Amino acid sequence: MKPMSVLQSFRDIMHGRPPREFVMPKSLTAPADATPIELWPCTLDDEDELQTLRWRNQAWLSPWDSDDPLGGPGLTFNQWVCELRRRERDGSGALFLITEHGRIVGQVSLGAITYGAMRTGLVGYWVDEAVAGRGIAPLAVAIVADWAFDCPDGPRLHRIEIAIIPDNHRSRRVAEKLGAIDEGVRRQYMHVNGRWRDHESYVLFAQEHPSDGLAAAFAARGQVPPSA
């Protein structure tokens, strides 16, 4: 480490704060030749629009919604946003709203981030049924992957996993379009819609990341071939 980094880390420890693992960007944008989407962190000001979108897509999204197997109390929107800020501070997660022309059309998150010898994270995403099939979900995941793998202020991960319920065919197509590697099935991997569900595991690796970025590669061809 540089001396200043050591001093900063020491000050953080003395004040009971771990060093930040990443700096949350104000926004992330698609390449110029891609669908003009922008990703930004969720704030309290987004409550009405996001809640309306979720309500309108309840039937579309509920079969794939993860939940707490112990039935813990739900969070208010304010509490949820506070939890997002905490995860950003401790480096364990980052959530972005997907917007098109300033309108929220979905959400993409990078969670379960692990550092040290693993440097891995788990991506989740959903989009409004009205925009499904237009390539917005894979583009949003690609933008987040570019940030997580390559940005100096990002988490600098080695591996990003996409976990998919086997009968969620649309979600599988997102992973396939990005050239993610199929690593097989993880049994009873996550609690979804009231029960433990098997998930197919697809993975992106930093070492196999396109030199010009995954978002640019996807925008150029509409599908990224898997690495050999």
Side-chain angles (χ1 to χ4, degrees):
M1 285 185 177
K2 297 178 182 179
M4 184 58 70
S5 297
V6 173
L7 290 174
Q8 181 62 54
S9 297
F10 180 74
R11 286 198 297 269
D12 288 337
I13 292 170
M14 291 298 292
H15 288 86
R17 300 189 303 266
R20 287 196 175 219
E21 297 286 358
F22 62 77
V23 176
M24 193 69 178
K26 291 182 179 180
S27 67
L28 298 171
T29 57
D33 55 347
T35 301
I37 65 170
E38 184 175 5
L39 312 183
W40 65 49
C42 181
T43 71
L44 295 176
D45 293 338
D46 297 308
E47 179 175 9
D48 290 344
E49 185 178 359
L50 183 58
Q51 298 284 52
T52 299
L53 182 66
R54 288 286 310 191
W55 177 81
R56 192 171 70 239
N57 284 273
Q58 184 175 6
W60 166 254
L61 299 174
S62 61
W64 324 114
D65 274 346
S66 59
D67 52 25
D68 183 356
L70 301 183
L75 299 178
T76 66
F77 193 85
N78 283 20
Q79 290 171 330
W80 180 64
V81 171
C82 287
E83 177 64 14
L84 296 181
R85 300 291 91 85
R86 182 193 66 77
R87 294 178 185 179
E88 294 164 7
R89 288 192 300 269
D90 66 23
S92 64
L95 182 142
F96 300 90
L97 301 179
I98 306 169
T99 70
E100 184 180 30
H101 305 303
R103 180 174 62 91
I104 300 172
V105 295
Q107 179 180 300
V108 59
S109 62
L110 179 64
I113 299 177
T114 301
Y115 298 98
M118 294 185 67
R119 304 204 73 87
T120 186
L122 178 67
V123 164
Y125 47 86
W126 60 266
V127 296
D128 183 357
E129 184 177 10
V131 304
R134 291 178 45 207
I136 288 177
L139 179 59
V141 173
I143 293 169
V144 169
D146 288 342
W147 171 72
F149 284 145
D150 297 333
C151 181
D153 290 333
R156 303 304 295 270
L157 299 185
H158 155 70
R159 162 192 170 102
I160 291 176
E161 181 179 349
I162 306 172
I164 300 167
I165 293 176
D167 52 354
N168 190 345
H169 305 299
R170 284 185 176 274
S171 192
R172 182 188 297 110
R173 284 294 296 146
V174 170
E176 291 172 346
K177 286 180 179 180
L178 294 178
I181 305 301
D182 183 357
E183 290 196 327
V185 175
R186 294 192 173 195
R187 295 189 59 211
Q188 300 186 46
Y189 181 63
M190 196 181 304
H191 203 263
V192 174
N193 198 21
R195 60 193 178 101
W196 291 105
R197 299 293 304 272
D198 295 349
H199 282 67
E200 297 171 345
S201 177
Y202 288 81
V203 180
L204 300 167
F205 291 102
Q207 290 85 345
E208 299 167 357
H209 204 55
S211 58
D212 58 348
L214 190 61
F218 174 75
R221 293 184 291 275
Q223 182 151 341
V224 180
S227 301

